[in-house]
mmCIF file with all atom_site columns, all heavy atoms in Angstrom:
data_model
loop_
_atom_site.group_PDB
_atom_site.id
_atom_site.type_symbol
_atom_site.label_atom_id
_atom_site.label_alt_id
_atom_site.label_comp_id
_atom_site.label_asym_id
_atom_site.label_entity_id
_atom_site.label_seq_id
_atom_site.pdbx_PDB_ins_code
_atom_site.Cartn_x
_atom_site.Cartn_y
_atom_site.Cartn_z
_atom_site.occupancy
_atom_site.B_iso_or_equiv
_atom_site.pdbx_formal_charge
_atom_site.auth_seq_id
_atom_site.auth_comp_id
_atom_site.auth_asym_id
_atom_site.auth_atom_id
_atom_site.pdbx_PDB_model_num
ATOM 1  N N   . ASN A 1 288 ? 18.909 16.431 -25.448 1.00 0.00 ? 288 ASN A N   1
ATOM 2  C CA  . ASN A 1 288 ? 18.349 15.378 -24.571 1.00 0.00 ? 288 ASN A CA  1
ATOM 3  C C   . ASN A 1 288 ? 19.427 14.672 -23.797 1.00 0.00 ? 288 ASN A C   1
ATOM 4  O O   . ASN A 1 288 ? 19.316 14.427 -22.597 1.00 0.00 ? 288 ASN A O   1
ATOM 5  C CB  . ASN A 1 288 ? 17.556 14.342 -25.357 1.00 0.00 ? 288 ASN A CB  1
ATOM 6  C CG  . ASN A 1 288 ? 16.303 14.934 -26.017 1.00 0.00 ? 288 ASN A CG  1
ATOM 7  O OD1 . ASN A 1 288 ? 15.860 16.015 -25.651 1.00 0.00 ? 288 ASN A OD1 1
ATOM 8  N ND2 . ASN A 1 288 ? 15.751 14.193 -26.978 1.00 0.00 ? 288 ASN A ND2 1
ATOM 9  N N   . PHE A 1 289 ? 20.510 14.321 -24.477 1.00 0.00 ? 289 PHE A N   1
ATOM 10 C CA  . PHE A 1 289 ? 21.631 13.641 -23.900 1.00 0.00 ? 289 PHE A CA  1
ATOM 11 C C   . PHE A 1 289 ? 22.223 14.433 -22.696 1.00 0.00 ? 289 PHE A C   1
ATOM 12 O O   . PHE A 1 289 ? 22.559 13.871 -21.681 1.00 0.00 ? 289 PHE A O   1
ATOM 13 C CB  . PHE A 1 289 ? 22.727 13.426 -24.953 1.00 0.00 ? 289 PHE A CB  1
ATOM 14 C CG  . PHE A 1 289 ? 24.003 12.787 -24.431 1.00 0.00 ? 289 PHE A CG  1
ATOM 15 C CD1 . PHE A 1 289 ? 24.140 11.386 -24.416 1.00 0.00 ? 289 PHE A CD1 1
ATOM 16 C CD2 . PHE A 1 289 ? 25.062 13.558 -24.014 1.00 0.00 ? 289 PHE A CD2 1
ATOM 17 C CE1 . PHE A 1 289 ? 25.304 10.832 -23.939 1.00 0.00 ? 289 PHE A CE1 1
ATOM 18 C CE2 . PHE A 1 289 ? 26.230 12.982 -23.561 1.00 0.00 ? 289 PHE A CE2 1
ATOM 19 C CZ  . PHE A 1 289 ? 26.359 11.611 -23.490 1.00 0.00 ? 289 PHE A CZ  1
ATOM 20 N N   . CYS A 1 290 ? 22.319 15.748 -22.941 1.00 0.00 ? 290 CYS A N   1
ATOM 21 C CA  . CYS A 1 290 ? 22.911 16.621 -21.867 1.00 0.00 ? 290 CYS A CA  1
ATOM 22 C C   . CYS A 1 290 ? 21.944 16.989 -20.756 1.00 0.00 ? 290 CYS A C   1
ATOM 23 O O   . CYS A 1 290 ? 22.314 17.041 -19.597 1.00 0.00 ? 290 CYS A O   1
ATOM 24 C CB  . CYS A 1 290 ? 23.487 17.861 -22.480 1.00 0.00 ? 290 CYS A CB  1
ATOM 25 S SG  . CYS A 1 290 ? 24.905 17.595 -23.634 1.00 0.00 ? 290 CYS A SG  1
ATOM 26 N N   . ALA A 1 291 ? 20.686 17.223 -21.166 1.00 0.00 ? 291 ALA A N   1
ATOM 27 C CA  . ALA A 1 291 ? 19.751 17.787 -20.166 1.00 0.00 ? 291 ALA A CA  1
ATOM 28 C C   . ALA A 1 291 ? 19.209 16.754 -19.206 1.00 0.00 ? 291 ALA A C   1
ATOM 29 O O   . ALA A 1 291 ? 19.005 17.049 -18.009 1.00 0.00 ? 291 ALA A O   1
ATOM 30 C CB  . ALA A 1 291 ? 18.547 18.429 -20.918 1.00 0.00 ? 291 ALA A CB  1
ATOM 31 N N   . ILE A 1 292 ? 18.999 15.542 -19.680 1.00 0.00 ? 292 ILE A N   1
ATOM 32 C CA  . ILE A 1 292 ? 18.352 14.509 -18.807 1.00 0.00 ? 292 ILE A CA  1
ATOM 33 C C   . ILE A 1 292 ? 19.172 14.276 -17.541 1.00 0.00 ? 292 ILE A C   1
ATOM 34 O O   . ILE A 1 292 ? 18.643 14.306 -16.405 1.00 0.00 ? 292 ILE A O   1
ATOM 35 C CB  . ILE A 1 292 ? 18.084 13.211 -19.576 1.00 0.00 ? 292 ILE A CB  1
ATOM 36 C CG1 . ILE A 1 292 ? 16.936 13.459 -20.573 1.00 0.00 ? 292 ILE A CG1 1
ATOM 37 C CG2 . ILE A 1 292 ? 17.743 12.076 -18.653 1.00 0.00 ? 292 ILE A CG2 1
ATOM 38 C CD1 . ILE A 1 292 ? 16.724 12.274 -21.526 1.00 0.00 ? 292 ILE A CD1 1
ATOM 39 N N   . PRO A 1 293 ? 20.486 14.016 -17.620 1.00 0.00 ? 293 PRO A N   1
ATOM 40 C CA  . PRO A 1 293 ? 21.251 13.834 -16.362 1.00 0.00 ? 293 PRO A CA  1
ATOM 41 C C   . PRO A 1 293 ? 21.211 15.053 -15.451 1.00 0.00 ? 293 PRO A C   1
ATOM 42 O O   . PRO A 1 293 ? 21.207 14.918 -14.189 1.00 0.00 ? 293 PRO A O   1
ATOM 43 C CB  . PRO A 1 293 ? 22.670 13.523 -16.833 1.00 0.00 ? 293 PRO A CB  1
ATOM 44 C CG  . PRO A 1 293 ? 22.498 13.057 -18.248 1.00 0.00 ? 293 PRO A CG  1
ATOM 45 C CD  . PRO A 1 293 ? 21.373 13.806 -18.785 1.00 0.00 ? 293 PRO A CD  1
ATOM 46 N N   . GLN A 1 294 ? 21.196 16.250 -16.007 1.00 0.00 ? 294 GLN A N   1
ATOM 47 C CA  . GLN A 1 294 ? 21.240 17.443 -15.212 1.00 0.00 ? 294 GLN A CA  1
ATOM 48 C C   . GLN A 1 294 ? 19.934 17.661 -14.414 1.00 0.00 ? 294 GLN A C   1
ATOM 49 O O   . GLN A 1 294 ? 19.956 18.045 -13.251 1.00 0.00 ? 294 GLN A O   1
ATOM 50 C CB  . GLN A 1 294 ? 21.515 18.670 -16.087 1.00 0.00 ? 294 GLN A CB  1
ATOM 51 C CG  . GLN A 1 294 ? 22.809 18.618 -16.873 1.00 0.00 ? 294 GLN A CG  1
ATOM 52 C CD  . GLN A 1 294 ? 24.028 18.697 -16.013 1.00 0.00 ? 294 GLN A CD  1
ATOM 53 O OE1 . GLN A 1 294 ? 24.016 19.216 -14.887 1.00 0.00 ? 294 GLN A OE1 1
ATOM 54 N NE2 . GLN A 1 294 ? 25.160 18.148 -16.512 1.00 0.00 ? 294 GLN A NE2 1
#
Side-chain angles (χ1 to χ4, degrees):
N288 293 346
F289 176 89
C290 295
I292 289 171
Q294 301 293 335

